[in-house]
Amino acid sequence: MLIERNPQKYRRPSTLARLRSARLLYVLCALTLVPSLFIHPHGEFGFAEIPGFHALLAFVTGCVLVLVAIVVRRVIIRSEDYYEHRT
């Protein structure tokens, strides 16, 4: 059975589509941040009551995870010819 390939299906989205997606992401982030500015959080610790603290914490945690993943990748990556037959 021959698999039909459609290269158009795998093309990168246009700049306009990516811009719309980015704007939608910004709006969703703002919508999740705005309520924390008006609702008083009751945290166990004082710093947890800062408006937007949890949003900032999530952002910093995401950045740290990406940086750790980059370091771990460099540590465990194998050379290009690792699986080649050695004679």
Side-chain angles (χ1 to χ4, degrees):
M1 184 171 127
L2 182 65
I3 299 174
E4 183 180 331
R5 296 182 188 221
N6 184 0
Q8 294 290 87
K9 181 179 177 182
Y10 301 109
R11 284 190 132 173
R12 293 183 68 186
S14 68
T15 304
L16 186 59
R18 285 186 281 164
L19 187 60
R20 278 191 203 131
S21 299
R23 286 183 180 163
L24 179 65
L25 180 64
Y26 296 148
V27 168
L28 289 174
C29 288
L31 287 175
T32 58
L33 179 63
V34 168
S36 72
L37 298 175
F38 299 107
I39 299 172
H40 179 70
H42 298 284
E44 185 112 1
F45 303 102
F47 57 83
E49 295 182 2
I50 298 172
F53 169 74
H54 293 94
L56 181 64
L57 179 66
F59 178 75
V60 170
T61 304
C63 292
V64 168
L65 282 174
V66 168
L67 294 175
V68 167
I70 290 171
V71 171
V72 168
R73 179 184 176 273
R74 290 183 187 207
V75 169
I76 66 172
I77 196 166
R78 298 185 178 176
S79 63
E80 190 173 325
D81 60 347
Y82 182 80
Y83 290 105
E84 288 183 6
H85 179 64
R86 296 181 184 158
T87 57

